[in-house]
């Protein structure tokens, strides 16, 4: 087996430099690569183009990178939880490309499946369609959307092995598997790293071929954005 | 009396049928889960990647890895399944989801919907709304008929940036239940108890179609 293990987040991101296009897995704060985000903040790389469904919150996740003005452009579907993001956007300091969530996911998928583009009805007749090619299939209009071209994809998994195989847990799976497939270089941080052979091949979500570097993360905060409970009875 | 948000949710719940897979949006649609008729089997889809969304967890049992599309902590049920975001929107695009219930800021008489952006003021993004409205075969909109200033949100033409075109077929508001006709126009089906057809007419800027007696909405 090819060994994909690196020591830590710092080593995993060592060649991410200014101006890189990076994908970051997660939905809200669920399943985000906390260790790599912190390492990117520490490294202080600038002018990043970030592809991620959300932009974190003011003091956690991608919000930390926004606060340090490391992000030139965000490509996201929903950024409602981040006041600093909204401020930078309205003041023109930050470029943003808001795209439908399914389009975002499927553009990742296309990249990982080696397909240059997809056709989706999402956004037809709206400002999302501006400048895009429209094709009609069976009487319905579809937008042509290109596969993403990202230098790096950074994902968070529950378990991984030294061969780079990944298993995700619960809804922290979200964008992580499709982004893992989409990066030219894919970095996976996992809660538990095991030897190749310890994970059942039938239960692998992301095959190791898509993963270039893997390490066991530490000190996961796993912050909950909207803690919602029901009363007993 | 105009309906409360809870009552709008309760009325919409009556549209849910046995065996439906349903996607509930954020806001009033989320409340619909509380009123699903007893004795029918319904599976709720959460577009971040879950079929079979259960109730909120009890205190102390929250799981940071298990949330819904509104980022709230939730639970799974017997028979739930988890998948990635691409598959989640795949099943939406392929019309495997029977019913989508979502909120709106404006709906036009030809079925256009606007619910994601107020230029210069609110830039939160469309999330999954554009994918849902472009593909769902059956969409019910839960919305306010009039805003706080008394202005109609049911318009001849939307003024805000669109989320989707010609896609809305049914609307439930605090005042009424309406169908959006394929040829255009809001057809009044039911009115909230004590709300007059005349008041609904005044509160609807788009073309309102009234045929015969309009019954009051019933929640039971």
């Amino acid at each position: 087996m090819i060994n994909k293990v690196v020591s830590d987040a710092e080593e995993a991101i060592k060649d991410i430099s200014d101006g890189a296009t990076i994908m970051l897995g997660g939905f809200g704060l669920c399943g985000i690569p906390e260790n790599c985000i912190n390492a990117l903040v520490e490294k202080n790389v600038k002018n990043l183009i970030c592809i991620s469904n959300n932009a974190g919150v003011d003091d956690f996740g991608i919000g930390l990178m926004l606060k340090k003005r490391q992000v030139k452009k965000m490509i996201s579907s929903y950024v409602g939880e981040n006041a600093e993001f909204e401020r930078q956007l309205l003041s023109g300091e930050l470029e943003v490309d808001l795209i439908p969530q399914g389009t975002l996911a499927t553009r990742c998928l296309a990249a990982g499946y080696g397909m240059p583009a997809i056709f989706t009805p999402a956004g037809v007749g709206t400002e999302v369609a501006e400048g895009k090619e429209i094709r009609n299939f069976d009487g319905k209009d579809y937008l042509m959307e290109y596969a993403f071209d990202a230098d790096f994809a950074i994902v968070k998994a529950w378990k991984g092995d030294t061969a780079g195989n990944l298993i995700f847990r619960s809804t922290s799976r979200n964008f992580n598997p499709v982004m893992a497939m989409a990066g030219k270089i894919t970095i996976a941080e996992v809660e538990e790293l095991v030897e190749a052979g310890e994970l059942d091949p039938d239960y692998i979500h992301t095959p190791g071929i898509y993963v270039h570097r893997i390490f066991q993360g530490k000190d996961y905060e796993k912050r909950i954005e909207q803690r919602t409970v029901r009363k007993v009875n | 009396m105009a309906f409360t948000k809870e009552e709008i949710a309760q009325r919409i719940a009556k549209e849910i049928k046995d065996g439906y897979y349903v996607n509930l949006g954020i806001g009033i649609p989320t409340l619909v889960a509380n009123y699903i008729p007893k004795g029918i089997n319904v599976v709720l889809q959460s577009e971040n990647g879950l079929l079979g969304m259960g109730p909120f967890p009890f205190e102390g049992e929250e799981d940071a890895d298990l949330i819904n599309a509104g980022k709230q902590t939730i639970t799974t049920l017997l028979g739930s399944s988890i998948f990635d975001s691409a598959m989640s929107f795949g099943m939406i695009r392929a019309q495997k989801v029977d019913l989508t219930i979502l909120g709106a800021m404006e709906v036009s008489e030809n079925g256009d919907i606007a619910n994601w952006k107020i230029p210069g003021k609110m830039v939160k993004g469309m999330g999954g709304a554009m994918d849902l409205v472009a593909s769902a075969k059956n969409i019910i909109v839960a919305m306010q008929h009039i805003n706080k200033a008394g202005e109609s949100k049911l318009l001849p033409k939307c003024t805000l940036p669109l989320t989707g075109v010609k896609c809305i077929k049914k609307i439930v508001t605090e005042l009424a239940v309406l169908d959006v006709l394929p040829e255009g126009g809001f057809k009044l089906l039911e009115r909230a108890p004590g709300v007059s057809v005349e008041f609904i007419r005044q509160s609807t800027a788009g073309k309102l179609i009234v045929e015969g007696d309009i019954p009051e909405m019933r929640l039971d």
Side-chain angles (χ1 to χ4, degrees):
Chain A
M1 279 293 156
I2 302 166
N3 193 322
K4 307 286 178 80
V5 178
V6 295
S7 59
D8 57 13
E10 195 187 337
E11 189 190 344
I13 63 140
K14 66 178 190 301
D15 54 350
I16 297 184
S17 50
D18 291 0
T21 297
I22 59 175
M23 289 180 162
L24 295 137
F27 181 92
L29 301 178
C30 181
I32 60 171
E34 294 181 24
N35 280 241
C36 283
I37 290 172
N38 290 338
L40 286 166
V41 170
E42 188 68 27
K43 189 172 183 288
N44 204 20
V45 280
K46 301 278 192 189
N47 291 317
L48 298 172
I49 297 174
C50 291
I51 303 168
S52 185
N53 189 55
N54 311 89
V57 293
D58 284 333
D59 63 344
F60 195 59
I62 295 174
L64 297 171
M65 292 161 67
L66 288 167
K67 201 188 269 180
K68 281 187 78 180
R69 309 288 303 278
Q70 294 175 263
V71 182
K72 180 176 75 175
K73 181 177 181 179
M74 278 298 311
I75 300 172
S76 302
S77 87
Y78 190 80
V79 293
E81 284 87 5
N82 193 315
E84 173 64 13
F85 181 99
E86 204 153 352
R87 190 198 65 72
Q88 287 185 22
L89 176 60
L90 290 170
S91 69
E93 295 161 59
L94 176 71
E95 287 175 59
V96 65
D97 200 358
L98 289 169
I99 63 176
Q101 195 175 139
T103 301
L104 178 60
T106 314
R107 288 175 67 188
C108 296
L109 194 76
Y113 274 47
M115 300 184 294
I118 59 157
F119 291 96
T120 174
V124 168
T126 76
E127 61 183 56
V128 165
E130 283 167 21
K132 289 177 184 160
E133 184 175 335
I134 292 176
R135 286 278 293 274
N136 189 286
F137 297 94
D138 273 337
K140 183 166 175 167
D141 284 341
Y142 294 77
L143 297 184
M144 187 167 80
E145 299 273 10
Y146 292 102
F148 280 122
D149 182 18
D151 300 314
F152 294 90
I154 305 176
V155 302
K156 151 83 191 345
W158 178 41
K159 289 183 181 178
D161 69 19
T162 52
N165 297 306
L166 304 177
I167 295 176
F168 302 90
R169 180 175 176 275
S170 199
T171 60
S172 71
R173 191 181 319 185
N174 57 61
F175 281 85
N176 283 301
V178 286
M179 287 186 170
M181 297 194 310
K184 284 197 195 77
I185 300 281
T186 290
I187 298 163
E189 56 174 85
V190 300
E191 288 179 52
E192 188 186 351
L193 182 64
V194 299
E195 289 299 320
E198 288 185 38
L199 301 177
D200 185 334
D202 275 335
Y203 289 86
I204 301 294
H205 293 132
T206 298
I209 190 169
Y210 285 114
V211 176
H212 303 85
R213 300 168 194 169
I214 189 167
F215 67 95
Q216 182 167 307
K218 59 182 186 197
D219 302 330
Y220 281 104
E221 179 179 336
K222 290 198 180 186
R223 193 184 293 186
I224 293 174
E225 219 165 319
Q226 304 281 344
R227 187 179 298 278
T228 315
V229 297
R230 69 182 137 145
K231 293 197 176 72
V232 180
N233 303 321
Chain B
M1 270 293 284
F3 273 146
T4 62
K5 288 178 180 179
E6 291 281 345
E7 288 167 327
I8 293 173
Q10 213 172 336
R11 173 61 189 81
I12 290 174
K14 288 175 65 179
E15 302 287 323
I16 298 176
K17 301 196 166 51
D18 191 30
Y20 266 17
Y21 289 92
V22 181
N23 179 287
L24 302 177
I26 294 163
I28 298 174
T30 306
L31 301 173
V32 173
N34 301 331
Y35 300 105
I36 292 168
K38 288 202 166 52
I40 69 170
N41 291 306
V42 171
V43 177
L44 299 179
Q45 197 240 21
S46 188
E47 67 264 24
N48 55 318
L50 169 65
L51 274 170
M53 179 166 59
F56 298 131
F58 292 116
E59 191 158 5
E61 293 177 4
E62 308 93 311
D63 179 349
D65 288 339
L66 182 53
I67 63 169
N68 64 16
K71 283 98 179 177
Q72 296 169 308
T73 43
I74 47 159
T75 55
T76 53
L77 299 169
L78 295 176
S80 289
S81 57
I82 306 256
F83 34 87
D84 65 58
S85 301
M87 184 179 282
S88 184
F89 284 93
M91 63 184 69
I92 288 166
R93 216 179 285 115
Q95 300 194 330
K96 305 296 180 188
V97 177
D98 298 288
L99 176 64
T100 291
I101 301 169
L102 77 175
M105 298 174 191
E106 297 176 345
V107 172
S108 75
E109 64 189 32
N110 71 342
D112 294 353
I113 176 172
N115 74 351
W116 74 282
K117 184 180 185 184
I118 304 172
K121 277 190 195 160
M122 188 201 83
V123 273
K124 294 186 186 304
M126 66 291 280
M130 282 194 182
D131 307 275
L132 284 158
V133 299
S135 294
K137 53 189 170 190
N138 191 3
I139 306 172
I140 300 176
V141 167
M143 68 185 292
Q144 298 297 318
H145 210 110
I146 46 178
N147 65 14
K148 290 195 180 80
E151 295 160 342
S152 179
K153 314 302 280 174
L154 277 59
L155 306 170
K157 200 169 185 300
C158 292
T159 63
L160 294 170
L162 296 179
T163 308
V165 294
K166 291 185 184 169
C167 51
I168 306 305
K169 296 189 181 79
K170 193 179 268 303
I171 304 170
V172 180
T173 76
E174 76 280 21
L175 303 179
V177 180
L178 312 104
D179 270 350
V180 182
L181 300 181
E183 64 272 26
F186 299 106
K187 184 171 185 195
L188 184 59
L189 301 178
E190 299 170 22
R191 57 199 170 85
V195 172
S196 69
V197 171
E198 196 42 45
F199 185 73
I200 293 165
R201 197 184 296 281
Q202 287 165 23
S203 305
T204 308
K207 182 180 171 191
L208 185 75
I209 297 157
V210 183
E211 285 173 5
D213 286 339
I214 305 300
E216 291 190 347
M217 283 193 241
R218 292 170 61 93
L219 297 180
D220 51 1

